[in-house]
Amino acid sequence: MAAVITEDNVYCEAEAELDGAPPADGQDQVQLPAPEGNIQGQVEFLGPHPDYDEEEEERKYYRRKRLGVVRNVVGASCGGMIIYSVYLGLLQMQLILHYDETYREVKYGTLGLEDIDNKMLMGINVTPIVGLLYTPVLIRFLGTKWMMFLASGIYALFVSTNYWERYYTLVPSAVAIGVVIVPLWASLGNYITRMAQQYYEYVNYKDEHVQEQKKPPKGAFHSYIIIFQSVFYIVFHLSFVFAEFPMVLFLNHYLNDYKHTLYKVTQCGASGKGVIENLNKTVLLSLPRSLLLIEVESVLMGAAFLAMLIFLVLCGAAYRPTEEIDLRSIGWGNIFQLPFKHLRDYRLRLLCPFFIYSGFEVLFAVQGIILSYGVCAVGMEKLWLLVMVYGLSSSICSGLALMLLRLPRQIILLVGAFMHFVLIIALMCWSPQPREPSYLPYLLVLIALWGLGTALNKTGLSTLLGMLYEDKERLDFVYTIYHWWQAIAIFIVYLWSALPMRVKPLFFVGFGCILCIYCNRTPIVFFIYHYTITDN
């Protein structure tokens, strides 16, 4: 009897410990406690965190994407600035050293450096003329980012050939630079515009047309194109400043003063002929040591490699993956034909004279104003200051293109054209006296104002192309046409370097008259109206 009571008490205590469950089908069911780590517990553990905010996480994701686009723009701008600083600085130093008669005879004897330099400059200026044929093919095959990386490698190759200056090293590397000039600039213009389009998509990621990858509203990218192109040219024009560092820190200590280098010079400016007529053949006070030259070239080589790393590491892809597949599916025949088909667009035909003028004015600023007016009057020892002022003025004034965010498009281009027109008239009438350092303040003001016109012209053209052709799948075709015409203009300026100086500004005035006749003989203001039309 005691055993039965004890057994009943055990069952009662067990039932009391178990969780109660409602009876089913009139029978009592006992539910055992769930084991630790069961499936239901795992599902609850992997569920959304109570503090998780999907909208906030999405906002942070697209903020990181926008910062990535800004990094791409800054990287492309700094990479282009560094590679051109190295190229311009080395080329300037090389031409000055090779011009000196004593340097050529002592270091290279009968090698013929002067003839090598002429062929090298011809390779740099002539080769880009055929760039329209192969540039779209290279960009199609390599992509925009890798085209910029390859071009920077070619510039680094040019620097490396200066360690062993011979015909078979300098001339082929110069020709290679001429080959990649148009592809590099077409890639840079295309890349900056594409980054503006990507930034718009990341800012407006909630819009329906962005989520469904439909065509955006007309003019949606304009503000970002203006800002990014302005940032690019603000940074890039500093290449003229950094290019003078080898001159300031190294070569300037070996130059003779203006009384010696300009001893036989009798005419400057509008009265002169060629670049600087009768410039002394010995411009070096003493010859720099070979080891010191190697050290300077090694620093420039390191800077060229830095530009390559910037393009490789900091610059992302310019296209979405699906878009890249579509671009690579274009046939080879269309690749060759499309640049010429784009020229059927009346907007590009109206812009072609401005593309040509863009090439004229940059080389004229260096060959004409800085050398024929500046160096001829104040001496070669002030060359670095003249070029730096031009670069700083162009860089600072490139920011004025941001006025396009509030003002009509034609304002930037009209101001730049008017500034250059006034300066050209002044240059035709002014012939500074040689060996007169007192002209330096006037020359600095003149060069700074020309830099203002250059900045507005360059930034305005690149921005306008991006705005007019924002809906094009291959913007590199448009920028290829722009820089191809520019290369042709640079080649023409290279050919006329021996002409009298007064003819060159006169050519600009005549070219402006041709622009008026080109647009159905209408006044220039009406032409600018056509030039800034919307893309209908």
Side-chain angles (χ1 to χ4, degrees):
M1 187 69 180
V4 174
I5 294 173
T6 302
E7 185 177 356
D8 290 341
N9 291 336
V10 170
Y11 282 121
C12 290
E13 291 176 1
E15 290 178 0
E17 292 178 358
L18 295 175
D19 294 334
D25 298 333
Q27 298 179 355
D28 292 339
Q29 294 183 352
V30 178
Q31 182 177 358
L32 297 176
E36 184 178 357
N38 64 358
I39 297 177
Q40 183 178 0
Q42 291 180 4
V43 172
E44 292 178 357
F45 178 75
L46 296 175
H49 194 273
D51 296 332
Y52 177 78
D53 188 345
E54 183 178 358
E55 185 176 351
E56 178 66 17
E57 292 299 323
E58 188 179 36
R59 187 184 65 82
K60 291 180 179 179
Y61 170 78
Y62 281 102
R63 184 179 63 183
R64 291 193 298 269
K65 286 289 188 179
R66 293 195 296 271
L67 290 176
V69 171
V70 174
R71 180 205 63 198
N72 293 340
V73 173
V74 174
S77 304
C78 292
M81 182 269 293
I82 293 173
I83 203 66
Y84 259 81
S85 300
V86 172
Y87 164 66
L88 294 175
L90 179 62
L91 187 63
Q92 174 182 281
M93 185 177 69
Q94 183 187 56
L95 292 177
I96 292 175
L97 289 174
H98 293 180
Y99 178 82
D100 188 82
E101 195 172 45
T102 306
Y103 181 87
R104 294 198 307 265
E105 292 179 357
V106 171
K107 291 214 167 188
Y108 295 97
T110 59
L111 183 61
L113 275 182
E114 193 171 9
D115 181 62
I116 292 176
D117 286 346
N118 292 333
K119 288 184 172 58
M120 186 180 66
L121 291 175
M122 185 177 295
I124 294 174
N125 290 287
V126 175
T127 312
I129 293 177
V130 296
L132 186 65
L133 300 177
Y134 59 79
T135 297
V137 178
L138 286 178
I139 296 178
R140 183 258 187 190
F141 183 74
L142 296 173
T144 305
K145 171 187 174 178
W146 292 104
M147 186 66 250
M148 295 189 298
F149 176 74
L150 174 64
S152 62
I154 297 296
Y155 280 88
L157 174 66
F158 175 75
V159 178
S160 66
T161 57
N162 282 265
Y163 286 108
W164 186 252
E165 295 177 311
R166 295 294 185 272
Y167 181 89
Y168 53 83
T169 59
L170 293 178
V171 176
S173 64
V175 172
I177 283 183
V179 170
V180 300
I181 284 177
V182 176
L184 173 61
W185 277 101
S187 299
L188 286 171
N190 180 40
Y191 191 83
I192 300 300
T193 306
R194 288 300 186 191
M195 289 301 105
Q197 294 173 344
Q198 286 188 9
Y199 196 87
Y200 169 82
E201 293 175 358
Y202 296 147
V203 169
N204 302 277
Y205 62 91
K206 292 184 178 181
D207 293 351
E208 182 179 354
H209 66 273
V210 175
Q211 294 179 353
E212 299 180 2
Q213 295 188 1
K214 293 182 179 179
K215 186 176 179 180
K218 187 176 178 180
F221 306 127
H222 287 186
S223 59
Y224 302 108
I225 292 174
I226 293 169
I227 294 172
F228 285 6
Q229 290 287 353
S230 299
V231 169
F232 171 76
Y233 279 100
I234 287 172
V235 176
F236 175 79
H237 280 131
L238 291 176
S239 60
F240 291 96
V241 177
F242 291 104
E244 297 307 308
F245 279 14
M247 190 80 175
V248 176
L249 302 176
F250 164 65
L251 192 57
N252 229 41
H253 304 296
Y254 296 92
L255 292 177
N256 275 306
D257 62 3
Y258 67 94
K259 295 179 181 178
H260 176 82
T261 55
L262 304 174
Y263 178 73
K264 296 181 180 179
V265 177
T266 57
Q267 293 178 330
C268 291
S271 301
K273 183 179 180 182
V275 181
I276 304 178
E277 194 175 13
N278 298 323
L279 182 68
N280 203 318
K281 292 293 184 180
T282 56
V283 297
L284 296 178
L285 181 64
S286 60
L287 300 184
R289 293 182 293 111
S290 298
L291 183 60
L292 189 57
L293 283 173
I294 292 175
E295 292 175 357
V296 174
E297 291 165 0
S298 299
V299 172
L300 295 176
M301 191 70 188
F305 276 123
L306 177 62
M308 293 178 65
L309 288 176
I310 288 175
F311 283 128
L312 181 63
V313 177
L314 295 185
C315 296
Y319 303 105
R320 295 184 295 270
T322 55
E323 186 179 0
E324 185 72 17
I325 294 173
D326 294 338
L327 294 179
R328 293 183 181 276
S329 64
I330 299 176
W332 290 100
N334 288 332
I335 287 291
F336 284 106
Q337 295 176 14
L338 280 176
F340 299 97
K341 290 181 178 180
H342 277 72
L343 284 173
R344 298 175 185 174
D345 192 333
Y346 73 97
R347 294 171 295 180
L348 271 182
R349 292 200 304 270
L350 288 175
L351 286 171
C352 281
F354 289 87
F355 299 158
I356 297 172
Y357 176 76
S358 179
F360 283 154
E361 61 94 5
V362 172
L363 204 56
F364 176 75
V366 177
Q367 273 194 357
I369 301 177
I370 293 178
L371 294 180
S372 298
Y373 284 84
V375 173
C376 186
V378 300
M380 193 171 292
E381 61 270 25
K382 297 297 182 182
L383 173 62
W384 66 272
L385 181 60
L386 300 173
V387 178
M388 275 191 172
V389 168
Y390 176 72
L392 281 174
S393 174
S394 300
S395 176
I396 295 171
C397 296
S398 294
L400 296 177
L402 295 174
M403 291 190 302
L404 291 174
L405 295 171
R406 292 289 181 265
L407 300 176
R409 301 177 189 176
Q410 60 267 31
I411 294 297
I412 296 295
L413 299 168
L414 282 173
V415 171
F418 176 76
M419 182 63 63
H420 277 178
F421 178 76
V422 173
L423 294 177
I424 287 170
I425 298 299
L427 290 172
M428 290 177 62
C429 305
W430 187 41
S431 298
Q433 294 296 321
R435 302 178 298 279
E436 286 292 339
S438 58
Y439 285 117
L440 182 60
Y442 307 105
L443 289 168
L444 293 179
V445 172
L446 176 67
I447 291 172
L449 292 177
W450 192 274
L452 166 63
T454 297
L456 298 181
N457 179 273
K458 294 287 186 186
T459 312
L461 277 176
S462 295
T463 302
L464 186 61
L465 285 178
M467 294 167 68
L468 292 179
Y469 296 95
E470 60 182 354
D471 58 337
K472 292 288 184 182
E473 292 184 357
R474 287 292 299 266
L475 273 169
D476 54 285
F477 287 113
V478 178
Y479 284 102
T480 297
I481 293 170
Y482 167 30
H483 294 291
W484 178 67
W485 280 111
Q486 191 178 50
I488 291 178
I490 291 174
F491 173 65
I492 294 173
V493 177
Y494 167 73
L495 291 179
W496 78 9
S497 58
L499 292 176
M501 192 62 209
R502 201 181 297 274
V503 175
K504 300 174 185 178
L506 186 62
F507 177 84
F508 285 100
V509 177
F511 190 77
C513 297
I514 293 174
L515 288 181
C516 297
I517 300 173
Y518 177 77
C519 186
N520 302 322
R521 299 177 177 83
T522 55
I524 188 65
V525 175
F526 188 64
F527 177 73
I528 294 295
Y529 167 75
H530 277 284
Y531 171 57
T532 55
I533 54 176
T534 57
D535 44 340
N536 294 323

